[in-house]
Amino acid sequence: MCGIVGYAGGNDKNIVDDSDRALVVALNGLTRLEYRGYDSAGIALCTRPSNILDDDSASKSYLQVRKKAGRLKNLIDEIETHPLLPAQTSIGHTRWATHGEPTDFNAHPHISNDLRVALIHNGIIENASKLRQALEERGVHFTSVTDTEVVVHLLREELRFVEDDDNLRKKTKYPLTHAMQRVVKQLNGTFTLLAVDASFSDVIVGAKHDSPLVVGLGDGENFFGSDVVAFIEYTSNAIEIQQDQIVTLTSNDVVITDFDGNLSTGKHFTVDWDVSAATKSGYKTFMEKEIREEPKAVADTLLGRFDETTGCIKLDKVPHDVNAFEERLRTINKVIIVACGTAAYAGLVARYAIEHWCRIPVEVELAHEFRYRDPIVNSETLVVSISQSGETMDTLMAQRYASEQGAQTISICNTKGASIVREADGVLYTRAGLEVSVASTKAFVSQITAAYLLGLYLASIRGNKYTDEVLEIVDDLCEVPDKIQELVDQFESISNLAHGLRDIKSVLFLGRNIGYPVALEGALKLKELAYIHAEGFAAGELKHGPIALIDANMPVFVILPSLSRPQLHAKVISNIQEIKARGAQVFTIADAQDIQAHEHATFTIDRPIVPSLLTPLLDIVPLQIFAYALATSKGLDVDKPRNLAKSVTVE
Ligand code: AGP
């Protein structure tokens, strides 16, 4: 969940004109990556003064390092106070602490005792304490309590080994590459590493195992990033680094090998969104921008999915032998959805539709619980992972476990080239575009949309749905963006409702049937944005305990079932009456023209009419706006809520 950026610029771009491009690129990258973690930040620049450019004596190059706890602004202020000289290469890191408090010492980059090597890391080294003990016994001095510092000292030792060995030294232009190949074999856990060597100021060496790493290809300059947003303003030409690869990157060369040093290749792709997606486009917050982008996110996710000739939905990635893949999907007897947080609630929504359309059981499992409960998973199971980032370690490990048990896997993901995508048999991308705000909004509605498409794909290849039936549902889905827009247009009125409740201490959210996961997600939004206690309940559960919580100080949001489900609707109206009888305010989301809702509720938000199974795509929007407005009315940072990171890439 840390943000990583690297830059290697040509001599003519840096040293001759003394530009600070290496610094600017690193800081811009960290600014765009700050959503991945922001409790400390740091950079290392590798400098070789212009007056010795043609001098072979490497000893004249040197490292410059600045790192500070707290937000990126603290680092920028530090650099203004203690300016840096122009450099050829730079690496930058913004951190979400796993090992050790967010302090200046624990901030990355970490540096070898002789200031020769600097290193940044995203992930967790699980055998760090054992390695640290051995290093300390060999006299290495540590300045932090992080797992990452162990790696930089190991790297320095291996660099010494490589330089002392004539054969090894002759094998590679940059000893750091060979040293990295030796280090990664000693590490257990997950890592993306970037390292620079003061003796070779033009190179950065990166390594990837389980954590994300992409390369950006520029003109006379090249880039590293934990995702493409790190360098999107400079190039859209990218390479996705694969599992267990090492990259030696200079201004005009990118050499990829496996951990044994055998030449390898990454996967080239073009980034299909522009830098404006990484800015707020005039809105005060990314979150408001992204809520307002929800109609487009759903529309884009639906675009071009239906194959008129086959009458089937098209996935973005299927195995080479698609017939065998689809034949196996016809024989599965269970679907398990694995995800975390909001993505898991999208899975809970999708379960209602997939079971209704495909008539096979669908289980939804929190990814971090899944593989430790000895689940029944085999070749007749389809495991679907849902992940916006595609880097959530819990979900990646759950999907990997499912594959090991022989299950087919399909990933619903918003990030091209992500680790979860690469390991899945099939992929269906959400097309929400970049989601910067930590709170998942447009990704959530896109995940539900994609999961519905997957359900229709399964129903059509398994023969549960005819083409015309699939088309009918796709047509209903295609009307959803405009109906979401009708709710987004109520941004101000819903915000005013929130402002009137800014002093509340706790809120309940109730939903029934497909509205129940919406209640859970509505509660999560309020918790993570406004830091207010909130709980989502199945409405039928109310009288089995939670009703004891109800009083005049406990406002309750109720997601009313569609009028097309009269039996469920009547039960929830009764719940509303029970709540009102105990003095609580009731806010409902209900079908437009739901007279009873208006009759019984304190305030009702009208839901444009859609088929019952599609109501979550609409109902969540007012709850997102409500949580957003309440948090901003309290002066909270909705884009970077305390203690949270956009992608949790550690277990
Ligand atoms: C929700 O607002 C949070 N951002 C969080 O629950 C998130 O949905 C969860 O961590 C899963 O992330 P992913 O979709 O990137 O896997």
Side-chain angles (χ1 to χ4, degrees), residues 208-237:
K208 177 218 161 29
H209 177 76
D210 279 345
S211 292
L213 183 62
V214 286
V215 163
L217 301 172
D219 173 15
E221 57 188 12
N222 290 314
F223 308 82
F224 273 120
S226 31
D227 66 46
V228 293
V229 75
F231 50 72
I232 180 68
E233 65 188 290
Y234 306 107
T235 181
S236 57
N237 186 4

Side-chain angles (χ1 to χ4, degrees), residues 340-343 386-390 392 438-440 447 524-525 528 648:
C340 299
T342 293
I386 302 179
S387 175
Q388 188 284 133
S389 63
T392 299
V438 167
S440 182
Q447 287 164 348
L524 175 60
K525 282 289 155 295
E528 65 177 328
V648 183

Side-chain angles (χ1 to χ4, degrees), residues 214-217 227-229 231-241 266-275 414-418 429:
V214 286
V215 163
L217 301 172
D227 66 46
V228 293
V229 75
F231 50 72
I232 180 68
E233 65 188 290
Y234 306 107
T235 181
S236 57
N237 186 4
I239 301 175
E240 153 200 322
I241 301 306
K267 192 175 171 189
H268 286 254
F269 66 94
T270 303
V271 183
D272 54 8
W273 38 266
D274 63 21
V275 69
N414 195 47
T415 309
K416 283 193 176 168
Y429 281 115

Side-chain angles (χ1 to χ4, degrees), residues 629-640:
L630 198 60
T632 46
S633 72
K634 295 171 71 173
L636 298 174
D637 181 348
V638 291
D639 285 336
K640 300 185 195 100

